[in-house]
């Protein structure tokens, strides 16, 4: 995330970090667990989470014995990450210029993060640079939006957002497998397997759901542009079919992730 992109992400994702950490981040926990299990994270694994947010994935990795690091554009998110993993190395910065040496990590993850960098290809090149030979880079994005219930909340937010810049990718731009592989290749990586993970969202009540959904960068941008009342009305309408008898709210969501390896480096 460079220049204005980094500053914008810092403002948007730093607006409601506690709501994100306490409510929304956990909605993706199934995907974090799946990635860490697939990567075989354990004692001594060197793991960098690029766009680490409030550090839930890093904390899960650390609980498995990994030595974790993270980078993010939002200082408010990093404060929570440091609380969760005091031993972690969490830094404020841009994904296009990672402040670590070559070959520093066994695993680099980007959970719905790298594709939103100002120069995503450069961010991927940096991820490859800091990954040791034989290590892995994981890129996570939304799953196939067809029939995904959670996709409806993004559709509800769309009219509340300012017009996107020409050519700006939508939230599901990488949900197509071919597009995801091409994205990795454009950053100099060698794409491997792609996996899908169900990540159902559940909230105990409407107020909590509004807190969680309202904490994402996209939601904050919608609130800035159209106001809190418009956001509340749109999301409340979206959630009507998903109310349960006990007052809770739940709907289906899925993530898709690609496991890639660094391009062959000089001397290999």
């Amino acid at each position: 995330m460079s220049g204005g992109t980094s500053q914008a992400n810092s403002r948007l994702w730093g607006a409601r970090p506690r709501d994100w950490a306490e409510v929304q981040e956990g909605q993706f926990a199934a995907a974090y667990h799946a990635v860490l299990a697939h990567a075989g994270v354990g004692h001594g694994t060197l793991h960098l989470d690029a766009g680490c947010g409030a550090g839930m994935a890093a904390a899960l990795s650390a609980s498995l014995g990994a030595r974790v690091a993270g980078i993010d554009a939002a200082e408010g998110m990093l404060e929570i990450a440091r609380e969760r993993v005091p031993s972690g190395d969490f830094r404020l910065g841009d994904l296009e210029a990672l402040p670590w040496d070559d070959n520093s990590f066994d695993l680099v993850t980007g959970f719905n993060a790298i594709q939103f960098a100002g120069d995503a290809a450069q961010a991927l090149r940096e991820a490859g640079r800091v990954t040791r030979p034989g290590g892995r880079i994981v890129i996570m994005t939304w799953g196939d939006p067809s029939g995904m219930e959670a996709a409806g909340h993004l559709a509800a937010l769309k009219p509340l957002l300012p017009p996107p810049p020409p050519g700006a990718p939508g939230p599901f731009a990488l949900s197509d497998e071919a597009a995801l592989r091409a994205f990795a290749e454009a950053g100099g990586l060698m794409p491997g397997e792609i996996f899908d993970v169900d990540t159902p969202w559940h909230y105990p009540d409407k107020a909590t759901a509004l807190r969680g959904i309202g904490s994402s960068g996209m939601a904050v941008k919608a609130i800035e542009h159209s106001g809190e009342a418009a956001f509340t009305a749109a999301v409340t309408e979206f959630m009507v079919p998903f109310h349960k008898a006990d007052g809770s709210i739940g709907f289906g969501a899925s993530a898709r992730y690609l496991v890639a390896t660094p391009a062959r480096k000089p001397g290999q």
Side-chain angles (χ1 to χ4, degrees), residues 161-232:
L161 292 163
F172 299 104
L174 297 182
S175 299
D176 176 77
E177 288 195 18
L180 184 53
R181 291 186 186 280
F183 176 77
E185 290 172 346
L189 304 181
M190 295 185 288
E193 295 179 280
I194 291 175
F195 301 90
D196 291 330
V197 184
D198 287 330
T199 58
W201 294 10
H202 182 267
Y203 309 92
D205 50 51
K206 174 185 169 182
T208 305
L210 289 170
R211 260 188 81 202
I213 294 171
S215 65
S216 74
M218 180 179 286
V220 170
K221 182 184 286 189
I223 292 166
E224 286 182 350
H225 186 69
S226 298
E228 190 87 38
F231 163 80
T232 299

Side-chain angles (χ1 to χ4, degrees), residues 25-133:
E25 194 176 20
Q27 310 302 331
F28 297 95
Y32 303 152
H33 282 291
V35 168
L36 298 176
H38 180 83
V41 171
H43 182 74
T45 300
L46 301 175
H47 174 200
L48 169 65
D49 193 17
C52 64
M56 175 174 282
L60 291 172
S61 186
S63 74
L64 297 171
R67 293 168 56 190
V68 300
I71 188 167
D72 203 87
E75 182 60 40
M77 291 284 196
L78 290 169
E79 289 176 4
I80 300 171
R82 293 179 186 120
E83 292 170 7
R84 286 172 160 173
V85 193
S87 62
D89 177 12
F90 295 101
R91 306 188 192 184
L92 183 70
D94 294 337
L95 300 184
E96 296 95 331
L98 297 177
W100 287 279
D101 293 336
D102 295 0
N103 306 326
S104 291
F105 299 99
D106 304 307
L107 172 68
V108 175
T109 52
F111 294 109
N112 260 333
I114 295 174
Q115 59 267 45
F116 299 112
D119 184 342
Q122 173 60 19
L124 288 173
R125 285 190 288 271
E126 279 290 275
R129 178 185 66 78
V130 301
T131 304
R132 66 168 178 79

Side-chain angles (χ1 to χ4, degrees), residues 117-159:
D119 184 342
Q122 173 60 19
L124 288 173
R125 285 190 288 271
E126 279 290 275
R129 178 185 66 78
V130 301
T131 304
R132 66 168 178 79
R136 283 176 279 191
I137 300 103
V138 176
I139 306 161
M140 192 189 85
T141 184
W142 285 99
D144 185 347
S146 303
M148 188 201 304
E149 293 171 342
H153 97 278
L154 298 175
L157 292 178
K158 188 174 181 179

